[in-house]
Amino acid sequence: MRLILLGPPGAGKGTQAKRLEDLHGLKQLSTGDMLRAEIASDSTLGRRVESILASGDLVSDDIMVEMIAHRITKPDCEKGFILDGFPRTVAQAEALDDMLHNHKLDLDAVIEVQVNEDELFGRIAKRAEEDGTRPDDNVEVMKNRLQVYKDLTAPIIPYYTGKGMLKPVDGMQSIEDVAKVIDTILDA
Ligand code: AMP
């Protein structure tokens, strides 16, 4: 099974992806986690992207497409994967289509987790308080991340709706209830 989890920052994509990873033996591919690992290891790429992540802007499509193209062919993705945080632009979505096509792979579903803005700000404030390790988990950067989501990532929604792949889920429910709805979609 190959899935995309789509939704604004704080929608709970990572939480749901981890659960699906355990339940279905899929690999969670979080591009945010991959970039943070590059930064933590002080790699050339990490140094290039550090200030971009801190600002809430997007890393270039070229870098992200190359990162995912390389990753989905690894053995741990053979049983399937959950893309968490990719694609984030229509150009990335188009590049993903090409790469899946080249590997003769299909996408099973695009799950859009919908959460309203007030709730997102509340969740990020809580995450900043409890975790405190992400420099982009603060109100100012969060405003930019949300704007970037609206301007550059939300256009992916009609892209996948047009392909009949989009499955919207009400992300305002409890983690357990969101999980149940996702399971129902995947069982169908
Ligand atoms: P996330 O953990 O998914 O919220 O990602 C954290 C940050 O990493 C984002 O705010 C972007 O700066 C960068 N990032 C993650 N995934 C992508 C992507 N697919 N395209 C561009 N930038 C990304």
Side-chain angles (χ1 to χ4, degrees):
M1 190 157 32
R2 282 167 292 274
L3 307 172
I4 293 176
L5 277 180
L6 194 62
K13 301 187 294 294
T15 306
Q16 295 299 335
K18 284 203 179 69
R19 187 185 153 275
L20 291 169
E21 185 172 47
D22 295 342
L23 203 66
H24 296 278
L26 307 173
K27 187 70 197 162
Q28 176 194 14
L29 298 180
S30 158
T31 41
D33 284 352
M34 290 177 204
L35 291 166
R36 281 184 287 276
E38 293 288 340
I39 294 169
S41 71
D42 201 27
S43 67
T44 310
L45 174 62
R47 270 176 259 141
R48 254 169 87 187
V49 301
E50 187 167 13
S51 62
I52 303 176
L53 265 79
S55 72
D57 287 341
L58 294 187
V59 173
S60 76
D61 288 336
D62 289 354
I63 291 178
M64 298 316 300
V65 167
E66 197 188 317
M67 187 177 259
I68 284 294
H70 178 71
R71 194 62 190 81
I72 61 170
T73 56
K74 295 222 170 144
D76 62 353
C77 288
E78 239 166 57
K79 281 174 97 181
F81 51 78
I82 309 152
L83 291 171
D84 165 11
F86 183 95
R88 249 182 164 95
T89 63
V90 172
Q92 291 181 17
E94 288 170 348
L96 176 65
D97 277 350
D98 288 346
M99 79 182 81
L100 291 173
H101 181 77
N102 290 341
H103 294 293
K104 298 192 170 54
L105 299 173
D106 288 323
L107 208 52
D108 294 274
V110 179
I111 295 167
E112 185 211 350
V113 187
Q114 299 177 328
V115 175
N116 75 35
E117 264 187 42
D118 286 349
E119 174 72 16
L120 293 174
F121 274 102
R123 289 185 190 183
I124 293 292
K126 196 162 162 243
R127 193 156 86 182
E129 218 171 84
E130 286 171 2
D131 181 4
T133 54
R134 278 185 63 164
D136 57 347
D137 273 351
N138 64 67
V139 172
E140 274 319 302
V141 178
M142 180 62 182
K143 279 186 194 157
N144 188 38
R145 288 162 72 197
L146 264 184
Q147 195 58 47
V148 167
Y149 181 80
K150 285 185 206 163
D151 293 344
L152 299 174
T153 307
I156 296 179
I157 295 168
Y159 178 83
Y160 285 118
T161 306
K163 290 174 176 286
M165 302 197 72
L166 195 85
K167 313 282 177 199
V169 172
D170 176 4
M172 300 289 286
Q173 311 170 81
S174 68
I175 291 174
E176 294 72 26
D177 286 344
V178 173
K180 272 186 211 153
V181 178
I182 293 177
D183 287 345
T184 309
I185 291 169
L186 299 182
D187 286 344

